Amino acid sequence: MTIATTTSTRAGGSNFMRRAFDRMIEARSVQARRYVNGYLLSLDDATLAAHGYNRKQLEREGTAPAHSKPLGPARAGLRT
């Protein structure tokens, strides 16, 4: 699932903020997908199938550890 984000920039302005924002959004999206996948993998196969999920696909996409910390700028791939 991908959500397109558009931002406007002023003529002659720097794209730094836009790139930083886009990278932060992408990192958070990946984090959210992994968190949700972790929960979905705790469900049985019948429940997953009833909601249109495939266990093997969820396993390939990965999960976040239960003790994972929120992403800060350095862990999100942003330079500080």
Side-chain angles (χ1 to χ4, degrees):
M1 179 174 104
T2 304
I3 299 174
T5 336
T6 58
T7 58
S8 61
T9 57
R10 297 181 185 180
S14 170
N15 286 327
F16 171 78
M17 291 301 292
R18 179 182 174 140
R19 285 191 317 268
F21 180 74
D22 288 344
R23 288 177 181 159
M24 182 182 68
I25 294 298
E26 180 60 28
R28 289 294 190 176
S29 296
V30 169
Q31 181 185 27
R33 271 193 307 271
R34 288 183 174 173
Y35 183 82
V36 170
N37 284 354
Y39 171 74
L40 291 173
L41 287 170
S42 72
L43 301 175
D44 62 293
D45 289 337
T47 304
L48 288 175
H51 294 285
Y53 292 101
N54 179 332
R55 180 172 299 279
K56 290 187 185 222
Q57 179 65 29
L58 292 172
E59 288 172 347
R60 269 182 280 173
E61 292 174 3
T63 61
H67 62 280
S68 66
K69 296 179 182 177
L71 293 178
R75 293 184 62 206
L78 302 175
R79 294 181 196 168
T80 55

